Structure formats: structure tokens, C-alpha cells
Amino acid sequence: MSTIAAVATGPAPGGVGIIRLSGPEAVRAARQVAPGLPAQLRPRFAHLARFVDRSGALLDEGLILHFPAPASYTGEDVVELHAHGSPRLLSLLLGELLATGHARLAGPGEFTRRAWLNGRVALQAAEGVADLVAADSEAAVRAAAAQVAGALSAQLGPVVDGLRALHADVEAVLSFPDESEGAEEGLCRRLAQVHGGVAQLCERARQGRVVRRGARVVLVGPPNAGKSTLFNRMLGEERALVDEAPGTTRDALEARLELGGLSVTLVDTAGLREAPGRVEALGVQRARAEVAAADLVLLVLPPGEDAGGWRGELGAAAPVVEVRSKRDLAAAGPGSGGAAWVSGLSGEGVAGLLEQVRVRLTGYGTAGAVSITGERHAECLFRAAQALDRAREAHVVSTLEVVAGELGLALAALLDITGEDASEALLDEVFRRFCIGK
Ligand SMILES: Nc1nc2c(ncn2[C@@H]2O[C@H](COP(=O)(O)OP(=O)(O)OP(=O)(O)O)[C@@H](O)[C@H]2O)c(=O)[nH]1
Ligand SMILES: [Mg+2]
């Protein structure tokens, strides 16, 4: 194994900047840029060090820490150089380390890849590290942290065990039909059980997707329904123009807000109608495109407007929440079929609506409780669920061979999450997402 080196801290100036080395030559390389270190480095101890270039000129003073193998992040000999957080200084220092000939520049995610190779982290936990580094909302941070801590492994374990046992039993029935009489009966129930477990994980994966990417919540409805007024009220600032003339909003307008730790992009759109003008017609087109791309649609209707027709007319793939606007003008109170009643003008009902949006997006928990945020994990789970769907169908209409085949596919999909039997290509794909130095 070669020794790798990289700047581990971000590319902006900061109080401290860290260069990390991992591999058998890590200490030797570090000694060359930090002469005067004691002959024996104390494990995990902060040694004061002078960092110099190859001519011996001083670059900075800082700390050197040695984490001897195997008790380190990568499982190899790791050395960290803590200098001042100047990107220019750090690249000079890294250049000096590489010039020693004892280390080469690390590739993206190579430290974590080595950690995985040496059994220091599970694959899904390693991916959690990448998610944590990239997290841009509180919910994403909490979800990634849960993943690093093994939340996904804990949920996945029993499902994988159940599926593995089921697969083995079905194969046994096929191989030794005489000795396995009656095993068929339990099969249906066990299939349903495993299927249920995977379906539950898929549901969490869908919520996780929203946590990771953030959610697009789109306000639509007829002109003058009060969409822009509500948009401003939900954001807590006057972003969109409001006017009593219908057709005020032309372009789609978006703004970000954080909802219970979840990153939400709220989109205001042009009122839907057979548009009179050309520009407004373009706006209506854009509104329809927004509906198609939404994670959640808020159908804003003034009191008295019929909802059924509008729902059909929207044809949204995402869930639609009906919102009754201008509550202050309505004679009758709430009660009409689960709609949220709000007044963008007075603010009445808006807090409740925001809470309803949060719950619809993350399920009845906090966003932080979502534990499956990796797109790759989600994709593996969906693939397993499909194979199990086919297995259940095959159990009714086809042969046990087909059931066994589908169970095998489902199991392979789940094992792709943990990286058991992982191919090089899969590993490359996983670690490509990392930044250099991680
Ligand atoms: N009384 C009352 N009036 C409201 C309320 N919300 C909006 N309005 C009024 O309704 C009119 C239209 O409001 P907008 O927010 O511009 O409606 P819109 O749905 O964005 O309209 P378009 O952009 O034309 O599609 C304005 O005169 C608002 O002041 C409300 O909750 N109560
Ligand atoms: Mg508007």
C-alpha cells in the first residue's frame, strides 16, 4: 500500500488547517517537513513542531499527531499535521510532503476507502461520512450522523437475516423436496413478512430523499386565490408582488426556508387559467412544470371554489394538500373535508399549514429521525422490493424455482447496500462522491 496525503480541511482560510497522511511511510514523510521531532512519537499525542521547506526555511509552527496502525481512521499509520488554516500555506506544505517521495496525493474518498478496506467502517457508514460532509440542513446532518453510527445497519440486519433464511429454505425445498414437506405453508407468511420489512425501509428511503435533496413545495391555484400573499406569509417576508388584479404573478418564484430542520424550496406560481396574454400563458406553462416536479403541492383555493375539479385538472404525481385561502372572508368555518384553512392576510392558520407540510414531507417523526438518506441505498431497497413483489406473484402463479430466483435477486440488492460481495465498480461509484482529503 502506498502512503497518501491530502489537505483534510476546507479550501477557505480558518484558524487551523490539517494535512492528513496515511500509510507505512506517513511518519517518515512527516519527519522530513518537521525536523526536530522526538525519535519516538507518542501515540495520539500533540507534538509541537516546526514545519519547514526543503531548504530548511520556516513555513509555520504547529502540531503533529501520530495514530499508529491499526487504531486509526484508516487502520493504517496516520499522521496529522495541524498548521494555521491558510490554504496557500497548506498547499505549500503538502507540496513539500509529496516532494519527499514518500507519499502521493490521495484520490477522492481514498482515506475512507482504506478505512472500509481495513474493516474500520461499514460501507453504509462510510457513505454517511460523505453525506455528513455535504449536509446543508440540520436534518441532513442528523440523518447522516445516524447513518455513520450504524442506524441503517441496525434496521437492515433483521431484514437481511430473514431474507437469507427464507432463500436458503426455498433452495432446500427445491433440492430435497421429500424432506421438506409442509415448508410451503410458512413460505407465504414469511414472504409477506420480509416484504413488509423491505417496504418499510423503502418508505424511510423516500423520506430520506426529501431530507437529502430538500423538498420542493409548490403553491398553485386559480388567479387571485391569494397564493403570493400566502407565499410571503410562509416565508415571513414580502418576496412576491401581491395585487387585486388577477394574473399578477407571471414567472415562478422560489425561496428557501428551513422547516423543522428540513430544507424546503417554496415556489409561487402564476394563477392557472386560460391565459389571455402571451407572457401569462408562458407563466401558466411554467406553473404546470413546477407541479410536475414538486414533492408536495399546495392547491390554494378561495372559499367556495370547487376542489374536485382542480385536483383532476392538476394531475400531480406528488401528494396534494388542499388549502382554503382568505379565511377572514369565509362565512363558514373549517370542516370541509380536511382542507387547511388559512388567511395569508392575517396569518391565521399559517403555522398549522407549515406544520402540516412538515409532517407530509417527513412522516410523523422529526426530520432528524430519518435514517436512509443515500440515493444508492434507496435504489438498492427499491430494487429489492421489486424482486420481492415478483417473488410473491410467482409464488401464486409460477414455480418455486422462479420464487427462489427472485429471492436471490432481492438478497443481492440488499447486500449491495452493505458492500458484501461488492464489485470494484460499485466501490468506485461510492467513493467518487467524496472530496479529496476525506
Ligand atoms: N381578505 C383577504 N384578502 C386576501 C388574502 N390573501 C390575499 N388576499 C387579496 O387577494 C388579492 C390577490 O392576492 P395575491 O396574493 O396576489 O393572489 P395570487 O393567487 O398570487 O394571484 P395571481 O398572482 O394573480 O395568481 C389581493 O388583493 C390580496 O390582498 C386573505 O387571506 N384575505
Ligand atoms: Mg401571485
Side-chain angles (χ1 to χ4, degrees), residues 196-219:
V198 171
Q200 202 177 21
L201 289 171
C202 285
E203 183 54 34
R204 293 198 187 130
R206 274 188 208 98
Q207 294 165 2
R209 206 173 248 182
V210 160
V211 165
R212 180 167 33 83
R213 292 182 325 193
R216 277 186 97 73
V217 177
V218 177
L219 293 159

Side-chain angles (χ1 to χ4, degrees), residues 82-142:
H82 294 211
H84 289 105
S86 144
R88 195 74 195 88
L89 163 70
L90 292 169
S91 78
L92 268 175
L93 205 49
L94 180 62
E96 292 300 327
L97 283 165
L98 300 178
T100 64
H102 297 310
R104 66 164 174 80
L105 188 64
E110 202 170 358
F111 290 94
T112 308
R113 186 175 188 149
R114 288 184 175 196
W116 176 76
L117 279 174
N118 292 323
R120 301 290 293 170
V121 286
L123 190 61
Q124 59 272 34
E127 293 177 283
V129 172
D131 289 342
L132 188 56
V133 172
D136 72 343
S137 71
E138 182 187 335
V141 167
R142 292 185 187 280

Side-chain angles (χ1 to χ4, degrees), residues 50-353:
R50 298 172 71 249
F51 301 128
V52 300
D53 68 12
R54 65 203 89 170
S55 73
L58 183 69
L59 292 176
D60 194 12
E61 273 189 343
L63 300 174
I64 280 196
L65 289 95
H66 179 211
F67 303 86
S72 70
Y73 181 69
T74 60
E76 305 175 329
D77 253 7
V78 169
V79 173
E80 283 182 10
L81 282 65
H82 294 211
H84 289 105
S86 144
R88 195 74 195 88
L89 163 70
L90 292 169
S91 78
L92 268 175
L93 205 49
L94 180 62
E96 292 300 327
L97 283 165
L98 300 178
T100 64
H102 297 310
R104 66 164 174 80
L105 188 64
E110 202 170 358
F111 290 94
T112 308
R113 186 175 188 149
R114 288 184 175 196
W116 176 76
L117 279 174
N118 292 323
R120 301 290 293 170
V121 286
L123 190 61
Q124 59 272 34
E127 293 177 283
V129 172
D131 289 342
L132 188 56
V133 172
D136 72 343
S137 71
E138 182 187 335
V141 167
R142 292 185 187 280
Q147 193 162 314
V148 174
L152 175 55
S153 315
Q155 292 166 6
L156 200 58
V159 179
V160 171
D161 291 346
L163 179 54
R164 211 194 288 270
L166 182 59
H167 185 225
D169 288 351
V170 172
E171 291 287 357
V173 173
L174 285 172
S175 309
F176 314 103
D178 299 341
E179 288 144 57
S180 318
E181 224 165 296
E184 293 267 356
E185 271 163 54
L187 193 62
C188 188
R189 183 185 47 78
R190 287 169 68 193
L191 250 175
Q193 199 173 10
V194 170
H195 186 267
V198 171
Q200 202 177 21
L201 289 171
C202 285
E203 183 54 34
R204 293 198 187 130
R206 274 188 208 98
Q207 294 165 2
R209 206 173 248 182
V210 160
V211 165
R212 180 167 33 83
R213 292 182 325 193
R216 277 186 97 73
V217 177
V218 177
L219 293 159
V220 285
N224 247 355
K227 300 181 295 298
S228 299
T229 308
L230 181 59
F231 176 75
N232 289 340
R233 184 61 81 162
M234 288 170 84
L235 293 175
E237 58 177 307
E238 300 299 311
R239 279 294 301 278
L241 289 174
V242 168
D243 194 79
E244 61 194 4
T248 305
T249 305
R250 299 286 177 84
D251 215 345
L253 191 63
E254 62 178 70
R256 227 195 88 160
L257 76 156
E258 198 162 315
L259 210 57
L262 188 73
S263 169
V264 171
T265 304
L266 193 63
V267 186
D268 183 25
T269 60
L272 298 181
R273 63 169 165 180
E274 292 306 322
R278 199 165 65 87
V279 175
E280 198 182 335
L282 289 174
V284 168
Q285 240 175 47
R286 210 159 264 196
R288 293 197 180 278
E290 285 294 346
V291 168
D295 293 301
L296 185 67
V297 174
L298 302 183
L299 173 58
V300 184
L301 298 172
E305 185 96 23
D306 171 54
W310 276 100
R311 275 180 184 267
E313 142 93 11
L314 280 181
V320 176
V321 172
E322 186 187 327
V323 181
R324 287 288 169 180
S325 64
K326 309 195 184 182
R327 166 97 177 83
D328 51 308
L329 294 183
S336 93
W341 280 74
V342 301
S343 166
L345 209 59
S346 71
E348 190 185 349
V350 173
L353 175 61

